Amino acid sequence: MSTNQNLLNDVEEVLLMGPGPSSVHDSVYRAMSVSTLGHLDPYFIRIMDAVKVQLQQVFKTQNKLTLPMSGTGSAGMETSFVNFIEKGDPVLILINGVFGMRQKDVAERLGAEVDSLEFEWGTPVIVDRVKDRLDNREYKIVSMVHAETSTGVANPVQEVGKLVKESDALFLVDAVTSLGGMMVDVDKWDIDIIYSGTQKCLSCPPGISPVSVSKRAVEALTSRKSKVPNWYLDLSMIVKYWEGQKRAYHHTAPINMIYALHQSLYNLLEEGLEPAFVRHQKNHEILVEGLEDLGLQLFVDPSCRLPMLNAVVVPDGVYEAEVRSRLRDEFKIEIGAGLGPMAGKVWRIGLMGETCRPESVDRILDALKKIL
Ligand SMILES: *Cc1c(COP(=O)(O)O)cnc(C)c1O
C-alpha cells in the first residue's frame, strides 16, 4: 500500500451551519486559485490597498491603520492587546462567554493588571455595572466582545462606547462574529481597537483577521516605553509593509488568502451592508419560528439574540452529540456544540454570511424534524 495518499478527492460538501467556518461562495474559491503574485509585486500592492479601503467601508471607519493581519481571529485578538499593553497597565474586560474569557487570558499573559466584570452567560453586558466601575477606576483599555459566539448574545457595544469615551481609556472590541452580519460602526461607536475574522460572516476560509486602530490608539502605540513583545504581530513594523510609497518586507503576506478576502469583501459590498444585515435578521427569524414549531427553545432572550448565531436548548432526554453526528453523516450539515459551561446543554446553529440563505434554514429544519 502506498503511504502517499490524496485525501482531498473524498472531501464532502458540507453545509456549514456551526459557529464558523461558514460556507464559502464559489467566487471566493476561484479567487484563491488566481495566480500567486510576489508579495512586493506592484499589482499585489494595488490589491492590498484596495483591501484596506474595503475594510474601512465594512468597519465604517476612516482609520488609516486598517488592515488584514495574517492568522485567524485569535491573531487579531492577540494583535489588539499586544500592541497596546505594557506590563502593569490596568485593563477592564467585560465577560459573558468564552471569548471574553480568552481576552482576559491574552491580556494577563502580557502582564496587564486585569480587572473583569462578569455577567451571566446567555445574558448581555449590563451597562450600568460598567458605568459604576468606570466611575471608580481608571483603565488604559476597556474591552468587550460584540457578538459572543459561545452563547448567541449581542452585547451593547455602542452604549458601553459612550461610557468609555468619557474616560481616558481605549475601547477595544471583538467583532469576529458580528462583522458583515450586523451593524458595526467603528467611528460612530468610538471604538479604538477592533478585530474580526474571515470565516464567520465574511464567508471566507479561516486565516485572516481584519484589524482597525484609531488615531488615539496609534498614539498609544508610538508612545510605548517598551518594544511590542511580539515580533510577528507588531503593528509598528507591519505598517511599513502595508502603507507608504515604498513597501518593506516584514513577513510574506498570505497572498492567495488576501485574494479570497478581497473577493469576499467585494461580494459583501456589492450586496450592500444594510441588505446583508437585513438578510441575516430575516433568515434568523424564519429559523427561530421553525425551531419553535418543532418544540425547540432558544437559549437567549429575543431582546439580545444574535441573528447569525442561534443557541438552541437541547431538549430533555435528547443526546445532543448524536443529533450532531447524524446531521453531519446523513444530512451533510454541520452545527456546533455548546462551549465551556454550555457543553451538552445547547446546539449552536450558525447563519453566517453565505450560509445565511432560506435554503439553509429549510435544510436544517427539515433534517431536525426527521431526527427528532
Ligand atoms: C471565532 C471567534 C474568535 C476566534 O477566532 P479564530 O478564528 O477561531 O481564531 C474570537 N472571538 C469570537 C467572538 C469568535 O466568534
Side-chain angles (χ1 to χ4, degrees):
M1 197 186 86
S2 161
T3 51
N4 183 26
Q5 326 171 21
N6 187 342
L7 295 177
L8 298 179
N9 298 326
D10 297 323
V11 173
E12 291 178 321
E13 194 172 324
V14 174
L15 175 59
L16 296 173
M17 299 195 79
S22 56
S23 298
V24 175
H25 193 265
D26 279 342
S27 60
V28 175
Y29 287 133
R30 283 197 299 275
M32 293 181 79
S33 64
V34 167
S35 301
T36 304
L37 287 169
H39 64 282
L40 290 167
D41 186 282
Y43 197 81
F44 183 64
I45 291 173
R46 269 184 70 184
I47 295 174
M48 291 164 70
D49 289 346
V51 169
K52 286 195 297 180
V53 174
Q54 289 175 312
L55 287 176
Q56 285 174 326
Q57 288 174 275
V58 172
F59 274 128
K60 291 182 173 283
T61 184
Q62 307 281 329
N63 288 342
K64 195 162 159 263
L65 182 43
T66 300
L67 50 76
M69 295 295 288
S70 305
T72 65
S74 303
M77 187 187 292
E78 191 93 40
T79 300
S80 299
F81 285 98
V82 78
N83 282 279
F84 306 99
I85 287 178
E86 293 189 81
K87 274 209 168 50
D89 280 346
V91 172
L92 176 65
I93 302 188
L94 313 177
I95 301 176
N96 60 344
V98 165
F99 293 103
M101 306 251 295
R102 187 175 295 182
Q103 286 192 338
K104 182 172 181 230
D105 188 10
V106 169
E108 281 176 348
R109 285 166 191 244
L110 296 169
E113 206 185 288
V114 179
D115 236 359
S116 56
L117 270 178
E118 306 212 6
F119 304 86
E120 197 184 328
W121 290 35
T123 70
V125 163
I126 299 166
V127 179
D128 283 344
R129 280 186 55 204
V130 180
K131 184 174 185 324
D132 277 353
R133 184 61 65 93
L134 292 180
D135 285 346
N136 289 301
R137 243 197 106 172
E138 286 190 6
Y139 296 96
K140 176 162 180 190
I141 295 174
V142 176
S143 180
M144 71 188 296
V145 175
H146 187 202
E148 186 41 90
T149 323
S150 61
T151 62
V153 165
N155 278 319
V157 168
Q158 186 174 12
E159 289 76 0
V160 174
K162 282 182 192 147
L163 297 177
V164 178
K165 198 185 176 194
E166 291 166 16
S167 77
D168 264 349
L170 297 169
F171 188 32
L172 194 168
V173 174
D174 174 317
V176 175
T177 284
S178 51
L179 193 72
M182 63 197 282
M183 180 60 82
V184 173
D185 197 328
V186 170
D187 288 356
K188 207 156 139 203
W189 297 355
D190 294 301
I191 298 169
D192 292 296
I193 306 159
I194 191 164
Y195 60 91
S196 189
T198 43
Q199 78 275 22
K200 313 267 167 121
C201 292
L202 299 182
S203 270
C204 186
I208 300 274
S209 175
V211 166
S212 183
V213 176
S214 74
K215 229 166 118 189
R216 275 184 69 221
V218 170
E219 281 158 17
L221 171 62
T222 49
S223 58
R224 285 180 68 100
K225 293 184 208 72
S226 57
K227 265 190 182 178
V228 174
N230 182 310
W231 185 89
Y232 194 70
L233 302 174
D234 183 341
L235 285 170
S236 61
M237 295 164 84
I238 289 172
V239 288
K240 294 181 183 146
Y241 174 55
W242 278 88
E243 285 177 7
Q245 277 302 322
K246 258 189 93 63
R247 307 295 173 104
Y249 163 71
H250 177 260
H251 67 271
T252 310
I255 309 289
N256 293 56
M257 278 307 303
I258 303 278
Y259 293 169
L261 177 60
H262 180 51
Q263 181 72 49
S264 66
L265 293 170
Y266 175 85
N267 294 351
L268 174 60
L269 292 166
E270 278 295 293
E271 177 183 14
L273 293 176
E274 215 34 77
F277 303 156
V278 170
R279 173 167 56 82
H280 280 82
Q281 186 60 33
K282 268 196 183 149
N283 287 309
H284 158 74
E285 284 166 16
I286 302 169
L287 174 69
V288 169
E289 208 181 295
L291 291 169
E292 286 173 351
D293 285 347
L294 293 175
L296 294 166
Q297 278 181 356
L298 275 279
F299 177 65
V300 172
D301 188 77
S303 61
C304 56
R305 275 179 199 158
L306 289 173
M308 70 288 282
L309 196 286
N310 301 271
V312 181
V313 179
V314 176
D316 283 341
V318 172
Y319 185 46
E320 78 82 19
E322 191 189 315
V323 173
R324 277 186 297 113
S325 62
R326 283 192 62 191
L327 282 171
R328 172 64 180 85
D329 295 342
E330 295 168 36
F331 298 91
K332 313 293 172 215
I333 303 173
E334 176 182 277
I335 66 167
L339 269 188
M342 317 268 299
K345 295 182 184 149
V346 298
W347 292 300
R348 291 181 301 151
I349 303 180
L351 282 174
M352 298 179 178
E354 283 304 320
T355 298
C356 186
R357 306 274 170 211
E359 306 85 84
S360 313
V361 175
D362 287 347
R363 252 179 84 181
I364 184 74
L365 288 174
D366 184 57
L368 283 174
K369 197 177 193 170
K370 287 182 177 131
I371 295 173
L372 298 171

